[in-house]
Amino acid sequence: MNTLKISKDDVSGRNYTPYLLFGVLLLTWPLLQGLIMSWDPTMGFIDPNIWLLILMSLICFLMVTGLSWWLLQRFWMRLGLPLLTEMVLSFKKLGLWQQLGFYWASFALLLLAAVGVLTAIV
């Protein structure tokens, strides 16, 4: 069974991949409409904007997820809760069905948040 391993890079917050993804999506924003319009100049103005709305919803979802993670870290330190490594060790002690239920609940909440952001934008 695969287990979750947390390295010092994950805990210290020096993982720059989400910031890089957010920057690439943000830079893609102004270029995408011109690219779509160059493919077919007779294309209506609404058609290329649908893809931009989906891109904007993805950017907003990443922003909300990042902000939520940042707020969680701040509240975690303020409340004096146990370290994340201790929480992972406690999670490993749960039964397999409890772990699976937690995974499904986390996935469902993340999917619900993504759908909520997408419907708010579109």
Side-chain angles (χ1 to χ4, degrees):
M1 181 175 156
N2 293 336
T3 58
L4 176 66
K5 292 187 179 182
I6 298 176
S7 65
K8 289 185 179 179
D9 291 336
D10 293 337
V11 176
S12 66
R14 300 206 186 270
N15 187 4
Y16 294 110
T17 307
Y19 300 115
L20 182 64
L21 178 64
F22 178 70
V24 167
L25 286 174
L26 206 56
L27 290 174
T28 305
W29 177 267
L31 300 175
L32 197 60
Q33 185 168 356
L35 182 66
I36 291 174
M37 290 295 280
S38 69
W39 287 338
D40 186 11
T42 62
M43 181 183 293
F45 189 68
I46 297 272
D47 292 336
N49 285 332
I50 292 172
W51 294 108
L52 292 177
L53 289 174
I54 293 172
L55 179 65
M56 189 166 92
S57 66
L58 182 62
I59 290 171
C60 289
F61 175 71
L62 289 174
M63 282 178 47
V64 166
T65 305
L67 181 65
S68 298
W69 180 253
W70 180 77
L71 284 173
L72 176 71
Q73 293 299 322
R74 297 294 169 235
F75 286 137
W76 206 275
M77 288 189 301
R78 282 275 199 196
L79 294 174
L81 294 173
L83 296 174
L84 188 60
T85 54
E86 293 175 20
M87 298 289 283
V88 169
L89 290 176
S90 298
F91 180 75
K92 289 180 185 177
K93 292 178 184 176
L94 293 174
L96 186 60
W97 68 272
Q98 292 171 327
Q99 289 180 8
L100 186 62
F102 184 79
Y103 284 137
W104 275 105
S106 299
F107 173 72
L109 287 174
L110 189 63
L111 185 65
L112 183 65
V115 168
V117 168
L118 184 63
T119 56
I121 297 298
V122 174

